[in-house]
Amino acid sequence: MIQTPRKSMSALNVRHLGIERFEGRVVLQHCVREHLEQEALSCQGRSERGGVFIGQHRGPHIELTDFTTPGPSDQSAPTSFVKVDPVHQHIAERAWRSSGHTKTYVGEWHTHPSGKPSPSFTDRRTWSNVAKQLQTFCVFAIVAPNEWALYVAERKIAWTVTRLEVTSKGDRGLVLGKV
């Protein structure tokens, strides 16, 4: 009996199964990386802080170009951060207009003032819901004392969260992807 080699399913072929894997890279511009590093140096012992990432989808890739910081109406506690201040929306809308409709909301960041930059169950559920609502990949960061980590929400039957690792350093910033 002659066997034919089995073809692997491409990203397009698995969509009907409800799978949309993130196969791209995330470019983290220097200003965004520097912000995450500064937050990592100063977050220990403080209440949580957070904001949104603004950037661009470039084919299968996401470029993080800007970010927001907590607004005066945001709710911050030692173990939670809730964005309620309209400043985040206003900054994202301004970026959208000034970029000719290329820059947009692409995710969020927040601190964990104690422990590691690992997402809680609540973080994972919230991130998956955001990506599901937007029907696109989103990037999320957790900043802990002296370190930070980047994650992407992707669809594998259900929306799930995958950690990204630095794959290279470029002129524009760090490049992260699944390893």
Side-chain angles (χ1 to χ4, degrees), residues 9-76:
M9 296 179 96
S10 72
L12 295 177
N13 292 337
V14 297
R15 280 201 162 153
H16 73 280
L17 298 174
I19 300 171
E20 295 179 52
R21 293 187 179 108
F22 178 73
E23 300 295 342
R25 298 279 185 255
V26 173
V27 177
L28 187 69
Q29 283 194 359
H30 291 300
C31 64
V32 179
R33 177 191 50 80
E34 289 167 2
H35 169 70
L36 295 176
E37 290 175 359
Q38 286 293 12
E39 288 289 336
L41 291 173
S42 64
C43 73
Q44 189 165 11
R46 297 172 57 184
S47 290
E48 287 194 8
R49 295 170 44 85
V52 302
F53 285 132
I54 298 166
Q56 306 176 76
H57 292 271
R58 296 181 172 271
H61 312 294
I62 300 172
E63 182 176 13
L64 303 180
T65 59
D66 303 287
F67 57 90
T68 66
T69 57
S73 301
D74 288 333
Q75 299 170 357
S76 184

Side-chain angles (χ1 to χ4, degrees), residues 80-132:
S80 68
F81 176 79
V82 181
K83 288 187 328 302
V84 292
D85 197 292
V87 68
H88 307 285
Q89 182 71 29
H90 293 312
I91 292 172
E93 288 173 355
R94 189 172 2 149
W96 172 254
R97 284 190 305 275
S98 67
S99 68
H101 303 172
T102 60
K103 287 187 178 182
T104 188
Y105 168 97
V106 292
E108 301 183 12
W109 69 271
H110 73 278
T111 62
H112 282 184
S114 60
K116 298 285 182 190
S118 302
S120 66
F121 174 79
T122 301
D123 292 334
R124 288 178 179 277
R125 184 182 64 222
T126 301
W127 297 348
S128 295
N129 288 338
V130 167
K132 181 179 179 181

